[in-house]
Amino acid sequence: MAGIPGLLFLLLLLLLCAVGQVSPYGAHWKPTWPTYRLPVVLPQSTLNLGKPDFGAEAKLEVSSSCGPQCHKGMPLPTYEEAKQYLSYETLYANGSRTETQVGIYVLSKGGGQESSGKSRRKRQIYGYDSRFSIFGKDFLLNYPFSTSVKLSTGCTGTLVAEKHVLTAAHCIHDGKTYVKGTQKLRVGFLKPRFKDGGRGANSSSSAVPEKMKFQWIRVKRTHVPKGWIKGNANDIGMDYDYALLELKKPHKRKFMKIGVSPPAKQLPGGRIHFSGYDNDRPGNLVYRFCDVKEETYDLLYQQCDAQPGASGSGVYVRMWKRQPRKWERKIIGIFSGHQWVDMNGSPQDFNVAVRITPLKYAQICYWIKGNYLDCREG
C-alpha cells in the first residue's frame, strides 16, 4: 500500500460517486448495493492523554445553519486534513484516554468536509406526525427493531457487531470534552418484564409480558473522530458526528452491518428508515421512514419526524446484494440533528444524517474488526 499524494487524493474524492453505481433503469432492475473500491485507514501512532473532566451537559440534538449549498461550497479536504479529521480519540472505562493518528492508503476514495453554523430549533416534526411507536415483544425483540439500543446519556444507538454500537458523537462528547456520565456509560437493551416474575426457561407458558424494561451493559471504550473534537459541536458542522462504543461483553443479538451510503437516487424509493427512543414518547421505540430531500458528500437532508433522544439512530435501507443473492439491510448513516437552512432565500428546516462515506466506512470497520483486510467490502 502507498500513501495518497494530495492531488491524487482530491481526484479520488471527485471520482467517488462514479464508482460502483448501478443504473436505476431496466425491466428487471432491483435496488442493488453498489460495489466500492475502498480506501484503507490505519493507525500510525498513539499518544496518551490526560483524563477528561466529564463536565459537559448531555445535548440530545445538535443544530447548524450550514445547509446543502453551504456544504457543497466548501473546499474538499486535503490529504493532510483528511488524516487529521479521521484521527481519533479513545476513552476507556477507567477514564484513561489516547489519541491515535492515522494514515490513508491507496485502494480507493473518501473524505469529508467541515462546515459551521449556529442555530437551534427544538421541534423536529413536519406536519402530521408520521412516527410509529413499536409495541409488543414480537416486534421489539425481532430484527431490525431489536438492533436499536438506548444510551445512558439519553440518545439512541444501533448494534453493528457482536460487541459494538454505532451512535452520534454528540451523545458522548460536545466537541470540547466528554459529557457527564460517559465514564460510566451504559447501553440499554429492551426485554420483556413478565407479570409472574418469571424469565427465561423458568417462566411459565402463561406468562404475559406486562411491559418492556432495559437490561444494561457497560461500555468498555469509545472512539470519536478528531473531526468532531475541534471546538464547540455547533460550530463545526455535523460531518463527523459519529462514534463507536465497544461493550464489555457480547450482546448476543442479531446486529446490522454498516455500509457505504449510496447516492440518494439509488435508494429504494429514495427513502431512508430509522428507529430511536424519542424523548416525547418515553419508554417507546419509535420507527419512521421518509424521502431524502437533498444530499451532500457527507450529509443526507430529510424531513423524517424526530425528537431529541432519537439522535444516534442508525439510518438504514434494504437493497439487493448480488452475492449471496439476497436482500440485506445496512446502516448507511447516523441521525444527527436539525438544520435550519436558507434555500434560495427561503428558510427551510431539515433533519440531518451523517453519511457513511468510504473513508468513514474504512475507519469504523477498522474500529470494529481491527484488521483492514476484513474491511474491503462496503
Side-chain angles (χ1 to χ4, degrees), residues 146-166:
S146 59
T147 64
S148 295
V149 292
K150 187 175 180 65
L151 274 59
S152 55
T153 54
C155 286
T156 299
T158 306
L159 304 177
V160 292
E162 291 87 350
K163 294 175 65 177
H164 292 89
V165 174
L166 187 64

Side-chain angles (χ1 to χ4, degrees), residues 171-221:
C171 295
I172 61 173
H173 197 291
D174 73 348
K176 293 181 179 179
T177 189
Y178 290 89
V179 305
K180 295 177 181 178
T182 303
Q183 186 174 356
K184 297 181 179 180
L185 186 63
R186 300 178 301 157
V187 171
F189 297 75
L190 271 180
K191 61 180 300 184
R193 185 197 305 271
F194 293 94
K195 284 184 177 180
D196 64 354
R199 54 182 171 177
N202 295 324
S203 56
S204 68
S205 59
S206 60
V208 178
E210 182 181 37
K211 61 179 181 179
M212 305 301 289
K213 66 176 182 179
F214 286 101
Q215 178 181 20
W216 298 90
I217 298 179
R218 287 286 301 273
V219 171
K220 178 180 178 180
R221 61 179 174 177

